[in-house]
Amino acid sequence: MTDHPTRLFASDAAVRALGEAFLERALPKVEWTHEAHLATCLWLIAERPEVHPERDLQQLIRAYNESVGGVSDDTQGYHETLTRLYIRGVRAFSIAHADGALVKRVNALLVSETGQRDWPLRFYSRETLFSVAARRGWIEPDLAPIEG
């Protein structure tokens, strides 16, 4: 994967504003980065109990993508396996790091192993992870079992 510097958040308010803008479909497409995905997921888990990521994120992400002119098809947009894997990882991280300010937990996630863009490749070959089947639905890992 391409090497990108990790973009950290400045405050709890910045994380919350990002999450709210995502839910309201008001977040500019350029701001829907890898870091934004993970920060939003942790914020939902930590502060929005009415939103259940395993149940709701598929529809929320698809609706957001459509609102900014994107599509979810066999080559772009929503990716079920990646989303479910990262939800699992973010949830485990959130449980292990339940204390402290939201921004501190989000930034710790982003610099952790789980927060890395290539983290899914510990469990999946590129061929499997980027297949149409993995984009459309959950695929079990083909390289290593997922801990937890």
Side-chain angles (χ1 to χ4, degrees):
M1 296 207 171
T2 307
D3 187 32
H4 296 278
T6 302
R7 293 165 284 216
L8 301 178
F9 288 83
S11 65
D12 288 357
V15 174
R16 290 181 184 116
L18 167 81
E20 293 291 347
F22 164 74
L23 290 177
E24 295 166 4
R25 300 180 200 150
L27 184 69
K29 185 177 183 178
V30 69
E31 293 181 32
W32 190 226
T33 63
H34 172 75
E35 293 88 353
H37 280 74
L38 297 182
T40 298
C41 187
L42 193 141
W43 169 72
L44 290 169
I45 290 167
E47 296 190 356
R48 297 295 298 264
E50 77 281 9
V51 178
H52 191 261
E54 292 84 353
R55 179 193 67 210
D56 300 330
L57 264 182
Q58 180 185 77
Q59 174 55 32
L60 291 169
I61 292 172
R62 285 178 181 273
Y64 169 77
N65 286 345
E66 290 173 12
S67 78
V68 294
V71 296
S72 293
D73 61 19
D74 289 348
T75 62
Q76 61 187 333
Y78 182 77
H79 191 296
E80 179 72 10
T81 299
L82 275 174
T83 300
R84 286 182 51 188
L85 177 64
Y86 271 112
I87 291 169
R88 189 171 178 172
V90 171
R91 188 173 294 287
F93 185 91
S94 180
I95 291 167
H97 301 85
D99 296 326
L102 177 63
V103 70
K104 181 180 176 184
R105 291 181 288 146
V106 165
N107 287 341
L109 168 64
L110 296 177
V111 298
S112 75
E113 184 176 24
T114 304
Q116 303 308 300
R117 286 172 174 81
D118 64 353
W119 177 71
L121 295 173
R122 293 182 56 212
F123 312 104
Y124 293 92
S125 66
R126 286 183 183 278
E127 180 180 314
T128 298
L129 186 60
F130 298 111
S131 68
V132 172
R135 182 173 288 281
R136 289 183 179 178
W138 172 254
I139 298 290
E140 290 293 328
D142 63 339
L143 295 181
I146 303 166
E147 300 91 20

